[in-house]
């Protein structure tokens, strides 16, 4: 029986991480077993344990990969739209869309991993990876040091509620009303501060 080459082993690992990154966002960490994950990419469970010491190790790597995908997406918005304010507005449009709501597997990891992170018993490596990703997202959404986190919290809360109520009129209303609140001339715009805000 031939042994898997080092190059093939690395490719198998890359495929496992990519599949896990998508499936964990789509179904939750506990919603996909190691066996199901490996079957989805045509490999055996035995092959998994040659690559990863545990499922938890894969979850941490998958979350990191998902936030890497988010970084690429955000950089793409900057490139496409030229100036950062316009890019942030376009991101809000995308984030609060039916397309993003209906495709959690390729969607924002801040929302996709939120439920699993909330159930993590301790603030270990996995939670630190997640927190770092959230902070980077907030920094991208911010025009200064203060307004990124509330914007991210609003976007993530809205998409989680929209997904939880998908198939009902309320889901559409959540997306539309949140979008209106964030983009209204008198409302909190991405990267802006309200006149009454104090330093």
């Amino acid at each position: 029986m031939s042994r898997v080459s080092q190059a093939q082993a690395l490719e198998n690992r890359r495929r496992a991480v990519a599949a896990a990154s998508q499936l964990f966002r789509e179904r939750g960490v506990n919603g996909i077993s190691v066996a199901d994950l490996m079957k989805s990419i045509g490999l055996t469970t035995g092959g998994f344990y040659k690559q990863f010491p545990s499922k938890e190790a894969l979850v941490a790597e998958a979350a990191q990969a998902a936030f890497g995908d988010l970084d690429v997406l955000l950089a793409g918005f900057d490139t496409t739209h030229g100036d950062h304010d316009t890019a942030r507005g376009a991101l809000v449009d995308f984030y609060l869309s039916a397309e993003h709501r209906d495709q959690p597997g390729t969607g924002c990891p801040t929302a996709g991993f939120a439920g699993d992170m909330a159930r993590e018993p301790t603030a270990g490596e996995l939670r630190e990876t997640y927190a770092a990703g959230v902070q980077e997202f907030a920094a991208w959404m911010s025009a200064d040091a203060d307004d990124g986190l509330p914007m991210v919290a609003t976007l993530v809360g809205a998409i989680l509620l929209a997904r939880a109520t998908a198939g009902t009129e309320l889901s559409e209303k959540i997306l539309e009303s949140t979008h209106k609140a964030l983009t209204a001339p008198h409302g909190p715009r991405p990267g802006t501060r309200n006149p009454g805000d104090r330093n």
Side-chain angles (χ1 to χ4, degrees), residues 54-75:
S54 65
K55 183 178 179 181
E56 289 70 27
L58 174 61
V59 174
E61 202 164 325
Q64 191 168 23
F67 278 107
D69 291 343
L70 178 60
D71 290 343
V72 170
L73 177 74
L74 298 178

Side-chain angles (χ1 to χ4, degrees), residues 36-82:
D36 288 339
L37 169 67
M38 297 306 280
K39 184 177 179 181
S40 77
I41 58 172
L43 297 174
T44 65
T45 303
F48 173 85
Y49 290 104
K50 291 177 183 176
Q51 297 286 351
F52 305 97
S54 65
K55 183 178 179 181
E56 289 70 27
L58 174 61
V59 174
E61 202 164 325
Q64 191 168 23
F67 278 107
D69 291 343
L70 178 60
D71 290 343
V72 170
L73 177 74
L74 298 178
F77 272 97
D78 277 328
T79 300
T80 300
H81 297 283

Side-chain angles (χ1 to χ4, degrees), residues 101-181:
R101 177 196 62 198
D102 297 341
Q103 297 180 358
T106 55
C108 177
T110 311
F113 283 92
D116 291 306
M117 294 304 103
R119 288 186 287 272
E120 275 293 294
T122 59
E125 179 185 353
L126 181 53
R127 187 167 284 177
E128 288 175 9
T129 296
Y130 180 80
V134 173
Q135 287 178 319
E136 287 180 18
F137 185 22
W140 189 90
M141 288 300 300
S142 179
D144 55 44
D146 301 318
D147 65 345
L149 280 172
M151 182 66 69
V152 167
T154 301
L155 291 171
V156 172
I159 204 69
L160 288 174
L161 288 173
R163 287 174 179 165
T165 57
T168 71
E169 290 182 10
L170 181 60
S171 182
E172 299 295 334
K173 188 173 182 180
I174 289 167
L175 294 177
E176 291 169 7
S177 62
T178 305
H179 186 273
K180 183 177 179 181

